[in-house]
Amino acid sequence: MKNLIAELLVKLAEKEEESKELVVQVEALEIVVTALLRHMRQPEQQALITDIEAALDEAKPGLVVPAHDAELLHQYIKKLLRHPRN
């Protein structure tokens, strides 16, 4: 029983580490996207944002991706494009 608990704790620690890595990757990508947007001229920036939002609106959640998850993705991308972090 102790071995099972120890194994579960190790697995939990590994999952937590993987989760931390994903958070860091997302934050890094957010910083890169924000920097790229800020270095674009306004008309180019707006054209890119419009194209991305149009592509998102056309994308339909499939059977694999729940509608709620797709909506969260859409909301986050729109927030990132319209109100990038400082």
Side-chain angles (χ1 to χ4, degrees), residues 32-42 44-46 48-49 52 80-82 84:
V32 169
V33 168
T34 299
L36 289 171
L37 286 172
R38 288 185 178 156
H39 282 87
M40 294 175 79
R41 287 181 286 189
Q42 185 62 32
E44 294 166 342
Q45 183 184 48
Q46 189 56 47
L48 177 64
I49 290 170
I52 291 170
L80 177 63
L81 294 174
R82 295 291 178 181

Side-chain angles (χ1 to χ4, degrees), residues 1-57:
M1 185 66 148
K2 287 182 183 180
N3 287 339
L4 178 61
I5 292 172
E7 287 180 38
L8 289 173
L9 288 174
V10 168
K11 291 267 188 206
L12 182 61
E14 289 172 353
K15 293 293 182 187
E16 186 174 332
E17 189 62 32
E18 290 172 9
S19 177
K20 286 179 184 178
E21 283 184 36
L22 288 173
V23 168
V24 170
Q25 288 176 3
V26 168
E27 288 178 354
L29 288 171
E30 187 175 337
I31 290 167
V32 169
V33 168
T34 299
L36 289 171
L37 286 172
R38 288 185 178 156
H39 282 87
M40 294 175 79
R41 287 181 286 189
Q42 185 62 32
E44 294 166 342
Q45 183 184 48
Q46 189 56 47
L48 177 64
I49 290 170
T50 301
D51 288 349
I52 291 170
E53 289 177 342
L56 279 173
D57 290 340

Side-chain angles (χ1 to χ4, degrees), residues 51-85:
D51 288 349
I52 291 170
E53 289 177 342
L56 279 173
D57 290 340
E58 291 175 13
K60 304 276 189 241
L63 298 175
V64 179
V65 179
H68 176 69
D69 292 350
E71 182 59 30
L72 285 175
L73 176 66
H74 288 171
Q75 288 175 2
Y76 186 78
I77 290 176
K78 286 183 180 186
K79 177 184 172 194
L80 177 63
L81 294 174
R82 295 291 178 181
H83 307 288
R85 66 193 252 174

